[in-house]
Amino acid sequence: MAQTESTVHVRPYNPDMDYDVVVRVFRETIGDNLHFEPAHTLSTYAWCRPYLLLSPSTCFVLSSSSSDGTSCSPGEPVGFILGTPSTMTFAQRWRISFLASVDRMVCPEPAIPDGDERGWDLNWDDDPVGTLQRVIWGPERYPAHLHIDILPAYQRKGCGGQLMTVFLQKVKEEGASGCHIIMPASNIDARRFYGRHGFRMYEKSMNDGGSGEPGILKDGSVCLVREL
Ligand SMILES: CC(C)(COP(=O)(O)OP(=O)(O)OC[C@H]1O[C@@H](n2cnc3c(N)ncnc32)[C@H](O)[C@@H]1OP(=O)(O)O)[C@@H](O)C(=O)NCCC(=O)NCCS
């Protein structure tokens, strides 16, 4: 696995050891706008737990060493990249086996407007909780190929690039011909990061996304793509 010159290295996710810590790192690094309940817990069901449970072989962690001067235990994940080589296959598995594990008290199944869930609105500003519930119950609409998050103490050291390189190589080996990310347009630093790693705005207008503008969804998210 890739080594950084300093105190961390990239290694495969280990389901027996890493699950709880990765969920904790996810909760710490998810955008501040979702740091309230039940949105905080729902976000782990939307963007973290399904990848760990359904596609562990394409999840990698940034592992701390014993001498990095932080409070993390040696070997503990301080960042991650989670993803899948096939979004549609992943979404099917999400429906078949992941939804059964979702706590219905926190995430009741939303009513489907006119029997067609493409009518579900994603509205992060006014209804973040309802939007997360709709994302969780409509996995075909939203899952990205990847999610990447690193604890602040380990950001801006080149670690994200190492996670990205290992992940892209793995999903390519598993048959992916490209990779996409759906992310908030407002996360300028992350967009620059993805740009440096070969991602560009999707050129087509996504009708189901509803904005009518290339690469932009109705909820203001942007879709970035990269060939492999
Ligand atoms: C986005 C993210 C994954 C990027 O990972 P990272 O390891 O911080 O990325 P890098 O270190 O490769 O690059 C970040 C910046 O650090 C700079 N950098 C890299 N190595 C450096 C070093 N040794 N010394 C100083 N700066 C360095 C890069 O040039 C880059 O600068 P820029 O943003 O001004 O262009 C990470 O910052 C993160 O987890 N952010 C919070 C969660 C998030 O936004 N996730 C994405 C959701 S869509």
Side-chain angles (χ1 to χ4, degrees):
M1 281 295 116
Q3 297 283 324
T4 65
E5 59 183 17
S6 54
T7 59
V8 290
H9 67 281
V10 177
R11 65 168 171 79
Y13 165 69
N14 179 339
D16 296 330
M17 285 169 26
D18 297 332
Y19 184 86
D20 289 340
V21 185
V22 170
V23 172
R24 196 175 74 219
V25 172
F26 177 87
R27 289 177 69 100
E28 279 184 47
T29 50
I30 186 73
D32 288 346
N33 58 326
L34 297 176
H35 280 227
F36 69 95
E37 291 299 349
H40 214 171
T41 297
L42 285 170
S43 66
T44 69
Y45 286 118
W47 299 313
C48 178
R49 296 176 197 267
Y51 297 85
L52 301 176
L53 296 170
L54 303 176
S55 194
S57 69
T58 50
C59 296
F60 296 88
V61 299
L62 195 60
S63 189
S64 62
S65 79
S66 54
S67 57
D68 65 12
T70 72
S71 55
C72 296
S73 306
E76 197 171 275
V78 296
F80 56 75
I81 190 161
L82 315 177
T84 172
S86 165
T87 298
M88 291 321 281
T89 306
F90 180 70
Q92 283 164 8
R93 296 176 67 199
W94 179 314
R95 276 198 184 278
I96 291 166
S97 57
F98 175 69
L99 277 177
S101 73
V102 171
D103 181 348
R104 304 294 164 93
M105 295 297 283
V106 185
C107 191
E109 185 170 358
I112 300 178
D114 301 326
D116 183 353
E117 65 198 36
R118 284 172 302 180
W120 274 348
D121 262 347
L122 303 183
N123 180 345
W124 296 104
D125 291 336
D126 299 333
D127 183 20
V129 170
T131 297
L132 277 162
Q133 291 170 344
R134 293 189 281 277
V135 165
I136 292 164
W137 282 93
E140 294 80 5
R141 245 183 90 158
Y142 207 74
H145 270 260
L146 73 91
H147 297 281
I148 181 168
D149 290 305
I150 298 171
L151 288 176
Y154 297 87
Q155 292 173 12
R156 306 185 70 82
K157 298 177 193 296
C159 301
Q162 297 199 31
L163 282 168
M164 184 65 83
T165 301
V166 171
F167 171 78
L168 292 177
Q169 190 180 325
K170 177 68 173 168
V171 290
K172 186 174 179 181
E173 279 167 21
E174 293 208 3
S177 57
C179 187
H180 80 272
I181 302 164
I182 294 175
M183 60 171 296
S186 56
N187 193 342
I188 302 298
D189 288 346
R191 278 180 80 172
R192 201 167 44 236
F193 168 79
Y194 293 129
R196 273 201 309 277
H197 292 284
F199 287 84
R200 62 174 200 284
M201 250 335 234
Y202 187 46
E203 304 84 352
K204 295 184 187 155
S205 149
M206 297 173 291
N207 289 336
D208 280 356
S211 80
E213 286 185 62
I216 300 179
L217 281 72
K218 192 175 164 191
D219 67 350
S221 306
V222 292
C223 181
L224 308 180
V225 294
R226 183 198 195 280
E227 279 80 33
L228 292 174

